[in-house]
Amino acid sequence: MYCYMARQPILDAEKNLYGYELLFRDGVANCFPNINADEATSKLITEHHLLMGVEKITGSRKAFINFSADTLIHHFPTSIDPKSMVIEILETVPISRELLTACRELHRMGYQLALDDHDFEPKWDIFLPYVSIIKVDVQQFNMLQISKYISRIKHHPVTLLAEKVETAAEYQKLKQLGFSLFQGYFFARPEMLKHKKIASSKLNLLLLIAESSKVELDFDQLSAIVERDLGLSYKLLRFVNSSSFAREKPIGSLKHAMVYMGEAELKKFIALLALANLSEDNGSELLNMSMVRARFCDLMAQMNHDPENPPSAFLTGLFSLVDALLEQPLADLLEDLPILPEIKTALVAHQGKLGQYLELAKAFEQADWELQQQLSQKLFGKTIDLSPHYIQAVDWAHGLLLTARSE
């Protein structure tokens, strides 16, 4: 049986990562017999224990997970550490005395409960003493309706989470109303509020990106660029020494790194490091998503036996959120970024094999299982369970970020 997994970021008011909503299914049709999708999710969680453990999938952040009424009543969530999880209760769950008792007990055991897609119905008020978070689909209600509901429950110490926030204007209004957690396209496709020019001091980073997209690496040129910035050279060596390639003995020079790792892998680190420094003033979760996409696209290219040099699939995923990272329109930005034409085509038009790899990565983020199967069939000639590859990409990105933060 295949298992499908997606994770969708949840941010705080400063756009820092708070946690992820995790979505698990057994397939496109959710084909557990005679049960709904939410119970299928709960069964997958308990039977597979989240494939690799919640902490590995979320990077030790909070995991928001839907549970059905029956699985709550039978305390299925207690198989997971309460510090790792927020239990989501959908508005479609039938209210009963048994459910209220289960929620009271789970709350007593230290679990956080969230009312998901909350519909403002007073019938849920008896649950509020045991609820920590209320999730509101802000596309279902206008701001006046939301404001009236917040006033009605203001004596309850709950955290408000806005779902499906699509613009920066909505984000600002909802913050003013008292929402402190956010989920939606304002993060994945943020509205550009200002046009930020790339500072001339970052020219070296653009030159590094150019080198990483060439078939043949000019080591003399690379050394000349890196030697202008001692900190950049140090960080590059830190990344190299933290990789799986550096287990036998430490790497002490860029030339040694190039020989030991091979040009294709070294180029990936160069591009990653350059992008990380270009985006150093922005949120780390955008960079994290970029890294996950990069590794996932790279794994797809390996499965397809694409040429490894230059690492085009990796670079496509890595630069797929560059407009959000640098707060600059993508079309304008790509005029300045010296990357291969086929990568630019994939980023702008989602065309070609590279574009399909990127679409497949986005399908995992959005839990679009049908699109995953369609793209899998198109790319590999058959439907393949790619969830283990996506989880591998998540784990890889998390490991690199931990290394970067330890400096």
Side-chain angles (χ1 to χ4, degrees):
M1 181 181 67
Y2 288 168
C3 294
Y4 293 82
M5 181 277 294
R7 62 175 197 170
Q8 298 174 348
I10 295 171
L11 309 179
D12 65 18
E14 284 71 44
K15 299 186 182 180
N16 297 314
L17 179 65
Y18 179 82
Y20 294 97
E21 180 173 4
L22 299 185
L23 302 172
F24 286 79
R25 295 291 184 267
D26 66 322
V28 174
N30 295 306
C31 56
F32 282 114
N34 302 319
I35 60 176
N36 63 28
D38 301 307
E39 190 166 350
T41 298
S42 299
K43 282 184 175 292
L44 278 170
I45 290 168
T46 55
E47 291 174 7
H48 296 271
H49 203 258
L50 299 182
L51 302 180
M52 301 172 68
V54 169
E55 294 83 359
K56 198 158 191 177
I57 296 172
T58 64
S60 299
R61 303 285 184 168
K62 288 283 188 182
F64 287 65
I65 307 171
N66 289 329
F67 285 89
S68 66
D70 286 344
T71 51
L72 286 171
I73 290 170
H74 291 94
H75 288 190
F76 274 41
T78 57
S79 63
I80 301 174
D81 186 345
K83 296 178 182 178
S84 303
M85 179 178 60
V86 175
I87 298 169
E88 295 192 353
I89 308 170
L90 286 170
E91 86 283 0
T92 54
V93 169
I95 294 176
S96 66
R97 185 177 300 276
E98 292 80 9
L99 179 63
L100 180 61
T101 300
C103 290
R104 184 187 298 118
E105 179 63 13
L106 289 166
H107 175 74
R108 186 193 65 78
M109 296 170 66
Y111 287 90
Q112 285 187 289
L113 275 65
L115 295 179
D116 191 20
D117 290 335
H118 191 46
D119 54 12
F120 300 166
E121 288 291 328
K123 64 184 180 182
W124 289 102
D125 288 359
I126 57 174
F127 287 81
L128 292 180
Y130 316 110
V131 168
S132 301
I133 298 172
I134 292 179
K135 299 181 72 176
V136 179
D137 181 346
V138 298
Q139 300 305 317
Q140 288 189 358
F141 307 97
N142 59 43
M143 292 294 173
L144 180 59
Q145 291 173 311
I146 295 172
S147 178
K148 286 182 177 179
Y149 174 71
I150 292 174
S151 296
R152 185 167 71 78
I153 65 162
K154 62 183 179 181
H155 57 285
H156 289 285
V158 296
T159 298
L160 298 173
L161 191 160
E163 295 185 281
K164 298 184 181 178
V165 183
E166 296 185 351
T167 68
E170 288 177 350
Y171 165 65
Q172 293 297 335
K173 288 180 182 177
L174 291 163
K175 275 210 305 183
Q176 292 174 3
L177 287 177
F179 284 84
S180 57
L181 295 176
F182 304 87
Q183 184 176 2
Y185 287 141
F186 90 100
F187 171 74
R189 296 198 300 265
E191 182 177 320
M192 295 300 110
L193 299 179
K194 57 186 177 182
H195 186 90
K196 182 188 290 185
K197 288 291 185 182
I198 297 177
S200 58
S201 61
K202 294 188 175 181
L203 176 61
N204 289 343
L205 298 174
L206 289 175
L207 291 173
L208 280 178
I209 292 172
E211 287 301 318
S212 68
S213 65
K214 292 180 179 179
V215 174
E216 294 186 11
L217 191 64
D218 186 337
F219 185 69
D220 290 334
Q221 176 68 8
L222 174 63
S223 298
I225 295 169
V226 175
E227 286 169 0
R228 299 171 196 162
D229 190 329
L230 180 61
L232 197 60
S233 180
Y234 169 74
K235 289 179 180 179
L236 180 57
L237 288 175
R238 278 293 303 268
F239 273 114
V240 171
N241 277 314
S242 70
S243 75
S244 60
F245 295 92
R247 289 178 179 168
E248 294 181 6
K249 59 181 180 179
I251 292 172
S253 70
L254 292 178
K255 187 172 183 179
H256 184 189
M258 181 178 173
V259 173
Y260 192 69
M261 295 177 63
E263 288 196 20
E265 290 300 325
L266 184 57
K267 288 174 183 179
K268 295 173 189 177
F269 280 101
I270 292 170
L272 173 60
L273 185 63
L275 186 64
N277 280 269
L278 276 174
S279 59
E280 60 188 1
D281 297 327
N282 220 316
S284 62
E285 181 54 20
L286 282 170
L287 180 60
N288 181 39
M289 285 184 68
S290 301
M291 291 163 60
V292 171
R293 290 181 180 184
R295 180 58 176 159
F296 181 76
C297 290
D298 193 40
L299 291 171
M300 295 303 95
Q302 291 178 28
M303 287 181 62
N304 247 340
H305 304 291
D306 294 349
E308 294 184 356
N309 190 15
S312 300
F314 182 91
L315 294 174
T316 299
L318 188 64
F319 294 116
S320 61
L321 288 168
V322 68
D323 53 335
L325 281 162
L326 300 182
E327 299 180 19
Q328 188 170 338
L330 183 60
D332 295 345
L333 186 59
L334 291 180
E335 291 182 6
D336 298 325
L337 280 177
I339 55 180
L340 296 173
E342 54 266 37
I343 297 177
K344 293 184 178 182
T345 299
L347 294 174
V348 174
H350 294 173
Q351 293 178 354
K353 191 184 294 185
L354 297 178
Q356 291 175 2
Y357 295 154
L358 182 57
E359 284 293 285
L360 191 53
K362 291 181 178 180
F364 268 96
E365 295 170 2
Q366 298 165 8
D368 191 337
W369 317 127
E370 185 174 357
L371 180 58
Q372 287 178 46
Q373 289 205 338
Q374 291 173 358
L375 289 169
S376 171
Q377 182 70 36
K378 183 181 293 186
L379 285 165
F380 305 107
K382 58 182 177 180
T383 301
I384 304 174
D385 178 18
L386 298 172
S387 297
H389 300 283
Y390 187 76
I391 293 173
Q392 181 182 342
V394 169
D395 191 41
W396 179 87
H398 178 57
L400 281 185
L401 283 177
L402 284 179
T403 299
R405 291 169 184 156
S406 68
E407 292 182 3

